[in-house]
Amino acid sequence: MSSQARGLNNFISDLRNSKSREEESNRVEVELAKIRKKFNPGDSKLAADGSNPSLSSYQRKKYVWKLVYIHVLGYEVDFGHAEVLALVRSAKYSEKVVGYAALSLLLRGSDPVMANVIGTLKADLTAGPGDAARGKKAKGAVKNDAVQCLALCSLANIAGLELIQAMHVEVQRVLVAPSSTEQVRKKAALCLLRLTRTSPNLLSGREFAPRVANLLQDQHLGVLTSVMSLLSCLASQQTPEYEGLIPHVVHILSKLVMKKNCARDYLYYRTPSPWLQIKLLKFLQLYLNAIE
């Protein structure tokens, strides 16, 4: 952690040096009162979104990180949402990453303020790599695939029903978009997996199966592993709709087992991507009659 987070480091040290739970609790209460006053001082006008515009970037990040740490320790944190959303909307990666981390931990999909972040999530998800090539990149601007990954991880962690209904179409688009990087496709597949687990039958197998077939032609084993996790879940929910993908799965399995076609990074004790092999076999278990 950089020297700029000295205040956060000191706060963490104070809590770790507490000699009793009561002493720690008192220190937390004092800090929460201080942060609450910084967020809403009363003598200055707040922005339209409820955040305090007089806070510097460093101050906002420091106080939000403190709230996150307090939450992780098990204390209730029921304020600061406006400052979290302000960080999420920022164009700077250093602010955005703090905002998304806090969003994932401090808020839930059922919180009313989540309606205010849907627009930002959609904008971040659709900020493809091609956008960075247009115009000169501003200092501190966010790398597009990085911000897409942040949005996907945060969405997967929150996964409220209203948020799922509003965002699942965008996640599908990112997953199948030719411009998406391998890292983004992996995150999108796993995010969609979480959404479908939370809201079963979210996707129509008849419509989505052809898209999965295209994804199974990806040459990146990391993408294939994530896609197979998603496919196994979808096939367990709508088994007949994904039966047509058996040849694709068998083809991948034969390349790994028979031809040993595997990148060096995915070899495990000379076994080509055993995790992917297991996922492929688990999918085929759903169609024993068809295979026979």
Side-chain angles (χ1 to χ4, degrees), residues 26 60 131 147 161 174 196 205 247 275:
N26 291 336
R60 183 173 283 114
D131 297 340
V147 73
L161 293 178
V174 171
T196 53
W275 308 276

Side-chain angles (χ1 to χ4, degrees), residues 16-73:
R16 289 179 175 177
N17 293 330
S18 298
K19 297 180 180 179
S20 65
R21 178 70 175 179
E22 183 181 1
E23 182 180 346
E24 177 190 279
S25 179
N26 291 336
R27 180 67 179 87
V28 168
E29 291 299 327
V30 170
E31 193 65 32
L32 285 175
K34 176 183 175 182
I35 297 173
R36 193 187 299 270
K37 187 175 181 180
K38 290 291 184 179
F39 285 171
N40 191 4
D43 56 351
S44 61
K45 188 176 181 181
L46 299 179
D49 61 359
S51 62
N52 184 357
S54 64
L55 290 176
S56 66
S57 173
Y58 162 68
Q59 289 176 317
R60 183 173 283 114
K61 288 187 294 183
K62 179 180 69 173
Y63 295 138
V64 169
W65 272 135
K66 285 183 178 182
L67 291 181
V68 169
Y69 188 74
I70 291 170
H71 170 79
V72 170
L73 289 178

Side-chain angles (χ1 to χ4, degrees), residues 167-180:
M167 298 300 302
H168 76 91
V169 174
E170 278 70 20
V171 177
Q172 293 180 56
R173 289 174 181 168
V174 171
L175 175 60
V176 301
S179 60
S180 295

Side-chain angles (χ1 to χ4, degrees), residues 157-231:
N157 284 323
I158 299 170
L161 293 178
E162 182 179 346
L163 200 58
I164 291 174
Q165 292 298 326
M167 298 300 302
H168 76 91
V169 174
E170 278 70 20
V171 177
Q172 293 180 56
R173 289 174 181 168
V174 171
L175 175 60
V176 301
S179 60
S180 295
T181 64
E182 289 87 355
Q183 187 70 13
V184 170
R185 288 200 296 274
K186 288 191 292 183
K187 297 286 187 183
L190 295 177
C191 177
L192 199 56
L193 170 61
R194 174 62 189 276
L195 301 188
T196 53
R197 284 176 174 171
T198 305
S199 181
N201 301 318
L202 179 68
L203 306 176
S204 168
R206 183 174 300 179
E207 297 177 2
F208 195 66
R211 295 184 176 183
V212 179
N214 291 331
L215 291 169
L216 291 177
Q217 298 177 34
D218 201 298
Q219 299 300 311
H220 195 282
L221 292 181
V223 175
L224 289 176
T225 303
S226 298
V227 170
M228 281 309 304
S229 296
L230 172 62
L231 177 56

Side-chain angles (χ1 to χ4, degrees), residues 50-190:
S51 62
N52 184 357
S54 64
L55 290 176
S56 66
S57 173
Y58 162 68
Q59 289 176 317
R60 183 173 283 114
K61 288 187 294 183
K62 179 180 69 173
Y63 295 138
V64 169
W65 272 135
K66 285 183 178 182
L67 291 181
V68 169
Y69 188 74
I70 291 170
H71 170 79
V72 170
L73 289 178
Y75 296 93
E76 183 179 359
V77 176
D78 57 358
F79 69 98
H81 297 166
E83 305 300 337
V84 172
L85 297 185
L87 289 171
V88 171
R89 297 189 189 102
S90 173
K92 295 182 179 179
Y93 182 78
S94 61
E95 296 182 5
K96 213 169 189 66
V97 68
V98 178
Y100 271 119
L103 185 70
S104 301
L105 291 170
L106 300 181
L107 281 80
R108 293 291 176 266
S110 57
D111 291 338
V113 296
M114 289 307 302
N116 300 327
V117 80
I118 289 177
T120 303
L121 280 169
K122 287 184 177 181
D124 288 345
L125 282 179
T126 56
D131 297 340
R134 303 189 194 110
K136 193 173 181 180
K137 194 172 182 180
K139 183 178 180 181
V142 184
K143 190 178 179 182
N144 288 325
D145 60 347
V147 73
Q148 284 180 298
C149 290
L150 285 176
L152 288 167
C153 290
S154 184
L155 178 58
N157 284 323
I158 299 170
L161 293 178
E162 182 179 346
L163 200 58
I164 291 174
Q165 292 298 326
M167 298 300 302
H168 76 91
V169 174
E170 278 70 20
V171 177
Q172 293 180 56
R173 289 174 181 168
V174 171
L175 175 60
V176 301
S179 60
S180 295
T181 64
E182 289 87 355
Q183 187 70 13
V184 170
R185 288 200 296 274
K186 288 191 292 183
K187 297 286 187 183
L190 295 177

Side-chain angles (χ1 to χ4, degrees), residues 1-19:
M1 195 171 291
S2 66
S3 59
Q4 290 184 331
R6 186 175 302 166
L8 176 61
N9 282 330
N10 292 338
F11 173 63
I12 294 174
S13 296
D14 288 346
L15 294 183
R16 289 179 175 177
N17 293 330
S18 298
K19 297 180 180 179

